[in-house]
Amino acid sequence: MRILYQLLVVLFMMLQGAAGQPFSPGPFDLCVAQNGRCFPGICRRPYYWVGTCHNGFSCCRRYVEV
């Protein structure tokens, strides 16, 4: 089953190359995916800590009252 996934990845990369679009998987930024921002140090109000960014900064997200 693992070889099937690898073959699908190779096929996808070949199709991207044939279409003239270079495919290079970049780092996926989890902080941006959580609607956060990277801040040096600790998170201050109105932000709260949700994780760590790739560069070691704090991933902070704005607190929203409903």
Side-chain angles (χ1 to χ4, degrees), residues 3-57:
I3 190 77
L4 178 63
Y5 291 123
Q6 291 178 347
L7 288 174
L8 287 173
V9 168
V10 170
L11 177 66
F12 178 72
M13 290 177 66
M14 288 175 53
L15 289 174
Q16 289 287 326
Q21 299 176 354
F23 176 74
S24 59
F28 183 69
D29 195 356
L30 294 174
C31 189
V32 173
Q34 298 179 31
N35 293 330
R37 295 178 55 192
C38 295
F39 289 105
I42 62 173
C43 301
R44 306 266 185 217
R45 283 188 175 191
Y47 295 94
Y48 64 96
W49 185 83
V50 291
T52 306
C53 296
H54 65 280
N55 56 3
F57 288 176

